[in-house]
Amino acid sequence: MSAFPHVDTVAGAGRSERQRDGFVRGARVVSLAAGVEGDAVWWQAGRVRAVGRATDLERKLPVETPRFEFPGAWITPGFVDGHTHFATWALGRWRVQLAGVRSREEALQRVRAGRAESGWVLGQGWDANRWEAPPDRWSLDAVRAEPVYLDSLDVHAAWLNSTALHAAGIDRRTPDPFGGRIVRDANGEPTGLLLERAVELALPALPIPPDDVVTAALREGQAEAHRLGITGIHDVETDSVLAAFRELEREDALRLRVLFHPPVASLSQLVSSGVKSGQGSEWLTIGAVKLFLDGSLGKQTAWMLQPYEGSQDRGMPISTLEHARNAIQTAGRSGIAATVHAIGDAAVRRALDLLEEAPRAAIPHRIEHFQCVDSGDLGRAARLGIVASMQPAHLLTDIPLIDRYWGARGAGAYAFRSILEQGTTVAFGSDVPVAPLDPREGVYAALMRRADDGSPPNGWRPDEALDFETVVRLYSEGCARAAGIASHRGRLAPGMDADLVAWELDGAALMAGEGEAFRRARARLTVVNGEVLMQA
Ligand SMILES: [Zn+2]
C-alpha cells in the first residue's frame, strides 16, 4: 500500500445517466442496524438492497452490477461532519496557511510569500500561544503594504496590519464592541489584534469572493471530503454560501448531503420568506438558525458558572439574554430550530434554559460544542430532546487547557459516555477549519482521548472513551437524527440510503482497541446516494 495512492474522482457534473447500483465486498460491515451484519453491501437505485455474506449476495446479483472488492476493508455508513464552516475552509485552502506555525517570524515569512486576493492578503490558522512575540500590526506592515487580514485558528481573533485597520475604520477612537475587544498598546493605539466580537468590525471591509470562486472552492472541497470518507456536512455559514450550494445543486453537481444552518442575522429574512427547518431536498436542507452565547476555552472567553482556575474571571456571555431569547422564540414560532454555540458551563446552562422554553421545529434544537457541562445539567439535553453537537478532535489540543483552566470541572467536559448514557442524541463533527476536516482525527480522539503529544498514555478521563462502533454511530446515525432523517439514513440496512464508505484498515488492531489503526486507515470507496464518487 503506497502512502500516496492514486485517487480517481469518478463522478463529474452533467453526467445524465448516473450509475446508482453497486456491490462492495470487504471484511466486515459496521451496519449500526440491529441484527444486520456481513462482509458485503449491495445497493440498487441509490438504496441499500441487502447487507450480508458476499457468497450469499453474489448469487442474487444482476450481472451488470458494478462490483468493488477491498479485502480487509471495513464498510461503514457515510461519515457526516456535524459541524463545518465548509466554504470558509474550502476558500481558505487557497490562502495563507498559518496552522502549526511555531513562531511569529515564520508566520511573517508566509505572509510575505502569500498571494493577494482582490487586493488583500488573507490567511488563517495562527495560534500565538507559544510565539516569541505577540501578533501586531507593525510586524505585518514590515512585510506587506496591501491590507492583511489573518484569522486565528479558533476564529475568535483576527490579526490585521495598519492598512487593513484603516480600511476597516478602526483607530484609537473606536470603542470596544459588546462582547469584544480591540487590543491596544500603552498609548491606546490598536495593536492590530481583534478579539471575539471585535473581529466583526473588520469583516465589512474584507473583499467578498466572487460567486464563481466560492462554487469552485466548494467543488474542490467536496472532492476532498469524498477522499476523506465524508458524505455529508452540517454547515454553519452565511447566506452567500447557501446560494453557492444552491447553484451547485442546480447544476446537478452537489454530491454532499448538506444541512445548512443560517446565521441569526438572517432570521428576520428567513421568517418573512417562510423558510422552515427541514425544508429542501435530499441534498440541501435548511437546518437551524445559529447563534453564539460565549467564546472559547483557549482564550478563556467561554462563559463559566465559577471563575477559571486561579482567576477571578468567568469569561463572558457574548449575546444578551434578551437578544438570545427573542431570537430563539421568534425562530421556534416560525418553525425554525435553533442551534446555540455554548462552551462554558454557564453558557450550556443558559442554552438549555432558552431551548427548553422554545417551540419545537421539524428538526431538534441543538447545542454546538456542549463542551463543559455542569453535573446538574448533564441529563437535561436528553430529557428535552436537544442534540449535543460535539467535536472530539478538539480534545487533541484541549486536554492540557481543560486541566489548567477548568480543573475538576473537566469531569463534565467531553464526557461522551456519560452524556450518551443519559440518552442524549450526540452528533460528531470537526468544526473545520478550526480542526481538520479529516474524520480519522476525531475518531482517534474519541477512542483514545490523548493529546497531540500522546499523553496521557492511558487516555485523559478514560472512562469517557467510546468504542469504535459507537463513534461511527455518532458520525452517521447521530447526525441523521440531528437532521430528522434517521429513518432512511445513517445506518446500512435494506431500504436505507446508500451512503457508505469502505475503509482500508488493520481490523485486528482496531478490535484490540488501538485507535491509531483508524488514524492510519484510508477511505478506498465513497458512495453517496448509490453513486461511487471516490475510488482510491
Ligand atoms: Zn464552528
Side-chain angles (χ1 to χ4, degrees):
M1 218 170 13
S2 119
F4 300 98
H6 174 70
V7 173
D8 265 329
T9 299
V10 177
R15 218 204 279 175
S16 53
E17 280 303 305
R18 291 176 182 273
Q19 176 59 263
R20 294 175 62 209
D21 298 351
F23 170 86
V24 59
R25 175 183 196 166
R28 184 186 163 196
V29 179
V30 180
S31 76
L32 306 179
V36 178
E37 51 189 43
D39 58 5
V41 182
W42 170 25
W43 66 94
Q44 280 186 316
R47 298 273 166 81
V48 174
R49 174 73 187 265
V51 176
R53 293 219 320 256
T55 44
D56 297 337
L57 299 185
E58 273 171 332
R59 275 186 267 121
K60 303 173 194 156
L61 218 55
V63 284
E64 67 276 14
T65 306
R67 292 165 187 238
F68 304 91
E69 301 253 352
F70 300 103
W74 285 22
I75 301 160
T76 67
F79 274 56
V80 175
D81 188 321
H83 185 127
T84 64
H85 307 277
F86 196 79
T88 306
W89 163 77
L91 287 162
R93 295 171 81 210
W94 299 343
R95 295 176 180 163
V96 178
Q97 302 301 327
L98 300 172
V101 163
R102 299 282 176 172
S103 69
R104 189 177 82 175
E105 191 46 44
E106 189 188 344
L108 293 171
Q109 281 171 24
R110 293 203 187 180
V111 172
R112 182 185 282 121
R115 194 173 61 94
E117 178 182 327
S118 307
W120 284 64
V121 178
L122 304 172
Q124 61 187 11
W126 58 270
D127 175 356
N129 262 331
R130 272 168 278 178
W131 287 3
E132 77 287 5
D136 66 35
R137 63 187 166 106
W138 303 285
S139 56
L140 284 176
D141 292 346
V143 295
R144 290 307 282 246
E146 309 100 312
V148 178
Y149 173 92
L150 308 166
D151 271 317
S152 68
L153 183 65
D154 64 8
V155 295
H156 287 265
W159 176 18
L160 291 77
N161 68 352
S162 298
T163 327
L165 283 175
H166 182 74
I170 298 169
D171 62 26
R172 56 182 299 127
R173 296 177 307 259
T174 311
D176 286 350
F178 180 79
R181 186 154 75 91
I182 301 167
V183 178
R184 298 163 207 264
D185 68 10
N187 302 316
E189 283 294 327
T191 67
L193 196 57
L194 307 178
L195 301 182
E196 299 300 338
R197 297 195 65 175
V199 173
E200 294 169 19
L201 298 174
L203 300 184
L206 298 184
I208 296 166
D211 295 349
D212 58 326
V213 171
V214 179
T215 50
L218 290 179
R219 277 175 198 276
E220 279 192 18
Q222 170 174 274
E224 175 66 7
H226 292 148
R227 277 189 281 275
L228 295 169
I230 291 171
T231 59
I233 57 174
H234 294 181
D235 198 44
V236 181
E237 287 187 303
T238 58
D239 300 342
S240 63
V241 176
L242 177 60
F245 277 122
R246 285 206 169 111
E247 174 59 21
L248 280 188
E249 187 180 28
R250 202 184 55 74
E251 295 171 18
D252 193 25
L254 185 58
R255 289 296 178 273
L256 279 176
R257 315 282 197 175
V258 180
L259 182 74
F260 192 90
H261 299 313
V264 69
S266 307
L267 181 58
S268 56
Q269 213 185 324
L270 296 171
V271 170
S272 64
S273 50
V275 172
K276 295 184 187 342
S277 294
Q279 283 178 345
S281 67
E282 61 181 334
W283 293 109
L284 183 56
T285 310
I286 297 297
V289 70
K290 167 81 185 287
L291 63 154
F292 285 84
L293 285 189
D294 68 345
S296 70
L297 164 63
K299 299 217 157 41
Q300 298 176 67
T301 48
W303 181 31
M304 302 299 293
L305 294 166
Q306 301 297 329
Y308 287 84
E309 297 294 298
S311 158
Q312 299 300 313
D313 182 32
R314 300 197 296 130
M316 56 185 172
I318 62 173
S319 297
T320 64
L321 176 60
E322 294 71 22
H323 171 78
R325 176 178 282 143
N326 282 340
I328 291 170
Q329 287 289 330
T330 303
R333 280 196 303 270
S334 309
I336 303 169
T339 188
V340 181
H341 168 114
I343 287 184
D345 51 11
V348 169
R349 178 170 294 173
R350 176 166 287 177
L352 290 164
D353 290 346
L354 292 175
L355 294 175
E356 179 170 18
E357 60 189 30
R360 305 289 175 89
I363 69 170
H365 298 303
R366 53 197 276 170
I367 297 176
E368 300 299 326
H369 309 304
F370 201 68
Q371 219 172 74
C372 190
V373 185
D374 185 77
S375 57
D377 293 324
L378 200 60
R380 289 181 68 200
R383 282 199 301 280
L384 299 169
I386 294 167
V387 172
S389 167
M390 303 180 78
Q391 299 81 39
H394 285 338
L395 260 177
L396 299 169
T397 47
D398 277 358
I399 286 172
L401 300 179
I402 297 169
D403 287 337
R404 189 184 322 152
Y405 295 141
W406 289 344
R409 288 168 287 179
Y414 297 92
F416 301 137
R417 183 162 290 282
S418 300
I419 288 167
L420 285 175
E421 279 169 1
Q422 299 283 344
T424 317
T425 296
V426 176
F428 268 175
S430 70
D431 204 3
V432 68
V434 181
L437 180 66
D438 192 338
R440 295 174 298 185
E441 292 296 299
V443 172
Y444 168 79
L447 293 173
M448 305 310 288
R449 301 178 68 87
R450 290 183 194 146
D452 262 334
D453 62 3
S455 67
N458 294 323
W460 178 82
R461 301 186 187 270
D463 290 353
E464 298 290 353
L466 301 176
D467 61 89
F468 180 70
E469 189 174 316
T470 302
V471 176
V472 175
R473 190 182 291 281
L474 303 188
Y475 276 104
S476 56
E477 191 191 6
C479 287
R481 288 173 68 178
I485 52 170
S487 61
H488 61 97
R489 204 175 297 156
R491 288 168 292 143
L492 295 176
M496 304 291 285
D497 289 341
D499 291 12
L500 59 92
V501 184
W503 300 92
E504 187 80 55
L505 51 76
D506 181 346
L510 191 57
M511 279 195 283
E514 290 175 29
E516 289 84 357
F518 197 77
R519 215 178 191 184
R520 290 191 304 266
R522 211 174 75 226
R524 297 292 305 273
L525 185 79
T526 301
V527 176
V528 189
N529 202 31
E531 222 181 303
V532 173
L533 293 166
M534 189 282 296
Q535 190 188 345

